[in-house]
Amino acid sequence: MFNKYTCHVCGEKYKKSTMAKDKSGNYTCVYCQKLMSRYFPGCFKSTSEQITENISYMKKQKELYSKLIENDKDIIQIKNDNLGIIISEKYGVFKVIDNEWGWKYPDADCELFRLDQINRYEVFDEILKNVYINNNAFVECGVRIYMNSERDEKYNKYRIKENQKTHPYINSINIYTAVAENYTPSDTLQERGLKVAEDIVGCLDRLLGGTKEEASEKRNVFGEAADRFFIAYNL
């Protein structure tokens, strides 16, 4: 009754309503989309080759993350309940903690980012009113990390410095420390979330801050550590 389209990744056929069309004119099924990075620009902005490359990349990231947890006993975790950040000084990488996302998309909740790709970071604190029915307020806070990125040419022109490694598709990452759909002023969630966000910023300041020369040296050290980590596991 309904026409079915073939997913260019897995080869299975599904209804068009469950597929996403890419720039190459091919379709990706909803199941294969769940294997992609949550930060990937999306199928309609990408070619078929870029989509398959990202899925392959994420499979390798899952293996890499298991090696990280296995081998770094001094890993740093800063979180508020199920939201926050994991940092490995030993390997020069970090990961977003978002257990709700991880529960929904377990194969995509493993992406590691290099500390030497961080350009700057800041705390964000937003309360959006009238977003939901009955005028409930929506609150979210955390740390926004801006990455050295290849994705935006204008951003690169003014932000990227010579010899700094760049991320292929991410401009910024939100490290949420509190999210609430039915927020009330008496709730301490926002206060606790901001405290964790400030702790994350303090940790990043310790790892990446200092004078211009000190900050550059720290990034070089973390860059070399990340290079060794990726090379060691051929990823």
Side-chain angles (χ1 to χ4, degrees):
M1 184 175 179
F2 295 99
N3 290 331
K4 291 189 175 182
Y5 293 78
T6 301
C7 173
H8 76 96
V9 179
C10 65
E12 297 294 330
K13 292 186 177 181
Y14 299 95
K15 296 177 183 178
K16 186 177 181 181
S17 59
T18 66
M19 311 282 275
K21 190 175 183 180
D22 62 36
K23 289 173 64 176
S24 302
N26 295 316
Y27 290 87
T28 304
C29 72
V30 66
Y31 303 104
C32 288
Q33 290 175 52
K34 291 181 179 180
L35 302 177
M36 297 162 58
S37 166
R38 66 187 295 183
Y39 305 101
F40 194 65
C43 293
F44 71 98
K45 292 183 179 180
S46 309
T47 65
S48 298
E49 182 180 6
Q50 289 170 330
I51 291 168
T52 54
E53 283 180 354
N54 186 255
I55 292 174
S56 176
Y57 167 78
M58 290 303 296
K59 288 179 179 178
K60 292 179 178 180
Q61 286 283 296
K62 189 173 183 179
E63 181 181 347
L64 196 62
Y65 180 55
S66 68
K67 296 295 184 182
L68 175 75
I69 297 300
E70 176 185 337
N71 293 298
D72 189 354
K73 306 304 180 185
D74 298 318
I75 202 165
I76 300 170
Q77 292 195 52
I78 308 174
K79 62 181 183 177
N80 179 27
D81 296 328
N82 298 320
L83 298 168
I85 191 172
I86 290 174
I87 300 174
S88 171
E89 293 185 63
K90 180 177 180 180
Y91 296 124
V93 296
F94 70 95
K95 176 190 175 294
V96 177
I97 299 175
D98 187 339
N99 287 1
E100 183 177 352
W101 172 270
W103 177 76
K104 291 180 179 178
Y105 307 104
D107 292 316
D109 184 41
C110 53
E111 192 164 8
L112 299 175
F113 306 98
R114 299 172 62 112
L115 288 170
D116 67 332
Q117 289 178 345
I118 294 177
N119 185 289
R120 59 189 175 90
Y121 42 86
E122 62 187 10
V123 172
F124 67 88
D125 178 21
E126 300 170 354
I127 297 180
L128 308 176
K129 296 183 178 180
N130 302 320
V131 176
Y132 292 92
I133 299 174
N134 299 325
N135 294 326
N136 291 329
F138 178 82
V139 62
E140 61 182 25
C141 60
V143 178
R144 185 167 292 123
I145 297 179
Y146 297 92
M147 305 288 283
N148 292 323
S149 173
E150 296 178 13
R151 182 175 170 185
D152 188 320
E153 292 182 1
K154 182 177 180 180
Y155 181 88
N156 287 348
K157 181 178 179 181
Y158 294 102
R159 297 290 184 185
I160 299 302
K161 298 179 182 179
E162 189 176 359
N163 298 327
Q164 283 188 311
K165 287 184 167 61
T166 60
H167 196 282
Y169 55 84
I170 295 177
N171 283 343
S172 64
I173 300 170
N174 285 342
I175 310 292
Y176 291 100
T177 55
V179 176
E181 296 181 1
N182 298 293
Y183 177 75
T184 59
S186 61
D187 194 344
T188 62
L189 177 65
Q190 184 183 26
E191 181 181 346
R192 288 185 283 116
L194 285 173
K195 174 62 170 62
V196 173
E198 290 168 359
D199 289 344
I200 292 173
V201 167
C203 181
L204 292 175
D205 283 344
R206 177 180 66 83
L207 296 176
L208 301 173
T211 66
K212 183 177 180 180
E213 291 74 18
E214 290 171 342
S216 178
E217 177 59 25
K218 289 177 179 179
R219 279 175 166 75
N220 288 337
V221 170
F222 285 131
E224 291 172 359
D227 286 341
R228 289 194 298 270
F229 183 44
F230 292 133
I231 292 171
Y233 296 104
N234 194 30
L235 295 171

